[in-house]
Amino acid sequence: ASAAQINAFLYRVNYGSAFFCFYTNSQITQAEKRIGLTRKAGSTTAHQAYLPINLQKRWMYWNLPYPFGIADIRVEDLIDLDECGLFVETADKKIGKAFVGNRVRQEGNYQKSEKWTLLL
């Protein structure tokens, strides 16, 4: 969140308090450092990923034996080939803040432009 968004949140939470004051960008940055927040690149997870059927498929993939999942396959025997679609421009915010060791991730719609396909 930006400093302006943090100030707006604090104002709403402390509405009517005689002791409330707005904070400068540097004060907010120092407070974030003090509680252990770091700046990180973020990612967006599509809404469809959280549908019950897709959560079940994910669980089955990791926890059931072959041919329904990979629970009984050694890591050395796995071949990891991944295909992804990349868009030249998106409307998602790319930077966020989180505690050390945690990811920055938001759920939301993808804003699409020119699509490229990547196989790794």
Side-chain angles (χ1 to χ4, degrees):
S2 69
Q5 291 170 323
I6 292 170
N7 268 319
F9 171 78
L10 292 173
Y11 179 76
R12 284 193 308 269
V13 170
N14 295 293
Y15 181 74
S17 171
F19 301 106
F20 177 77
C21 64
F22 288 101
Y23 297 96
T24 65
N25 291 358
S26 61
Q27 288 173 317
I28 291 173
T29 301
Q30 288 300 319
E32 289 172 340
K33 285 181 184 176
R34 210 173 301 134
I35 64 172
L37 292 179
T38 59
R39 195 173 151 105
K40 300 178 181 187
S43 62
T44 300
T45 303
H47 290 295
Q48 295 89 341
Y50 295 104
L51 293 175
I53 187 67
N54 291 328
L55 293 173
Q56 180 183 12
K57 288 178 184 178
R58 180 180 183 268
W59 183 90
M60 290 170 55
Y61 177 79
W62 289 108
N63 295 294
L64 295 180
Y66 180 83
F68 304 107
I70 63 166
D72 60 344
I73 299 176
R74 298 180 322 154
V75 174
E76 296 85 10
D77 294 334
L78 291 175
I79 298 173
D80 186 18
L81 176 67
D82 196 9
E83 177 182 6
C84 66
L86 303 172
F87 296 95
V88 178
E89 298 171 3
T90 64
D92 292 331
K93 195 171 181 178
K94 298 293 181 203
I95 302 294
K97 291 196 177 185
F99 292 106
V100 174
N102 291 344
R103 287 183 59 195
V104 173
R105 183 174 49 186
Q106 70 178 8
E107 182 180 337
N109 296 321
Y110 288 112
Q111 301 296 325
K112 300 177 183 176
S113 62
E114 184 178 346
K115 183 178 181 180
W116 294 53
T117 302
L118 174 66
L119 291 171
L120 292 175

